[in-house]
Amino acid sequence: MIILKTPGELDLMDEANAIVQRVLDGIDERVAPGVTTAELDSWAEAIIREAGAVPAFLNYKGFPATLCTALNDVIVHGIPDSRPLEAGDIIGFDCGVIYKGYYGDSARTYAVGEVAEGAATLMRVTRESLELAVQQVRPGSRLGDIGHAVQSHVEKHGFSVVRQFVGHGVGTSLHEDPQVPNFGRPGRGLRLKPGMVLAIEPMVNSRSDKVSMDADGWTARTKDGGLSAHFEYSVAVTSEGPRILGVAPEVQTRIADVECLATSVS
Ligand code: MG
Ligand code: MG
């Protein structure tokens, strides 16, 4: 069942996601060689609680941390640890909060120091695929338009879209209907309506899309050892188009500028 949100609920979800964006911006300032993901996790938990929110992933089905990490070949759902980050690593952070009963959910992948050109390209293409997908979020478009926007951009660059994990509706639960695949055919699938909120989250592998699970039961990594990148926004469908929840107006404006992005990613 898809739960439509009122404009007042969207404003609360915007506040929840603004807390998530503050955490992800802070990580951007702190990620560096020698820093550990456990340190960043403690910092993130403190920021979230100071903001009057609760870490949404902590204890979710037994997950032991505030942030999900994704180091190099990890796709999603890694557990923060005491390994110091090294120059050349790419590291994903996924952050969720609960604020006044509503969930915020967003993720980014970061470069640690200088990274190889291929790693930088993988991150850029993944972020662009999310932005192209966001531009499809408007009343009347279909879930297949979102998936196709991601898949076509990713495959054009020779990368692969993970199929085992998908995006999702979000609201008063972390995972609501519908599922939001990062692949699909234009004009197919559920039709979007104002008030839907979708967490769109492309997970993109440098080689095959196949997934292997670690013995911890959480960490999902590429089966072939290739790199993986992940970016996520929670996006509301409004009659004016996509509303990326929690982001600064200049980010919203840049991503909504379809022509500008279309020329820069050709
Ligand atoms: Mg997430
Ligand atoms: Mg999510």
Side-chain angles (χ1 to χ4, degrees):
M1 183 188 60
I2 294 170
I3 303 164
L4 301 179
K5 281 78 183 177
T6 66
E9 289 180 295
L10 293 185
D11 288 343
L12 284 173
M13 292 190 72
D14 191 64
E15 290 183 54
N17 279 285
I19 297 166
V20 174
Q21 293 303 326
R22 204 179 310 155
V23 169
L24 295 177
D25 288 345
I27 290 172
D28 197 28
E29 290 164 13
R30 287 167 174 77
V31 152
V35 173
T36 72
T37 51
E39 287 161 16
L40 293 170
D41 192 73
S42 303
W43 172 82
E45 181 175 0
I47 293 294
I48 290 166
R49 293 195 190 281
E50 269 171 37
V54 174
F57 302 160
L58 184 63
N59 301 320
Y60 179 84
K61 297 183 179 174
F63 189 79
T66 292
L67 301 171
C68 290
T69 57
L71 180 67
N72 295 327
D73 64 332
V74 176
I75 300 167
V76 283
H77 304 162
I79 299 169
D81 63 21
S82 57
R83 170 199 180 281
L85 293 171
E86 294 172 14
D89 284 339
I90 66 169
I91 177 74
F93 289 97
D94 193 341
C95 180
V97 306
I98 311 167
Y99 181 73
K100 297 185 178 172
Y102 290 87
Y103 281 77
D105 186 12
S106 184
R108 295 182 205 168
T109 302
Y110 305 79
V112 183
E114 281 287 296
V115 301
E117 192 185 336
T121 303
L122 176 71
M123 289 193 295
R124 175 179 60 80
V125 168
T126 307
R127 182 176 46 75
E128 289 168 350
S129 75
L130 170 59
E131 295 176 355
L132 290 163
V134 167
Q135 293 176 350
Q136 298 297 319
V137 176
R138 56 180 175 268
S141 45
R142 310 277 200 128
L143 279 182
D145 297 324
I146 292 175
H148 178 73
V150 173
Q151 182 184 8
S152 57
H153 188 61
V154 164
E155 293 182 350
K156 188 169 77 184
H157 288 85
F159 301 133
S160 64
V161 160
V162 173
R163 288 160 184 262
Q164 187 166 325
F165 301 103
V166 296
H168 51 93
V170 58
T172 55
S173 301
L174 180 57
H175 297 117
E176 295 184 354
D177 288 338
Q179 293 199 340
V180 183
N182 295 300
F183 51 92
R185 290 162 65 187
R188 300 297 181 94
L190 180 83
R191 208 180 276 280
L192 305 189
K193 284 187 193 165
M196 289 180 180
V197 182
L198 306 175
I200 305 174
E201 49 179 317
M203 289 150 267
V204 176
N205 293 355
S206 63
R207 300 201 290 259
S208 130
D209 69 311
K210 294 292 172 282
V211 178
S212 144
M213 292 301 299
D214 280 12
D216 63 19
W218 285 107
T219 309
R221 63 178 78 234
T222 61
K223 197 162 197 162
D224 60 17
L227 291 176
S228 191
H230 177 215
F231 286 83
E232 177 179 30
Y233 281 130
S234 294
V235 188
V237 184
T238 79
S239 53
E240 284 89 55
R243 178 179 178 189
I244 307 171
L245 297 171
V247 305
E250 56 269 26
V251 174
Q252 173 79 39
T253 304
R254 179 181 63 78
I255 295 174
D257 187 351
V258 174
E259 283 181 24
C260 166
L261 185 64
T263 50
S264 69
V265 302
S266 58

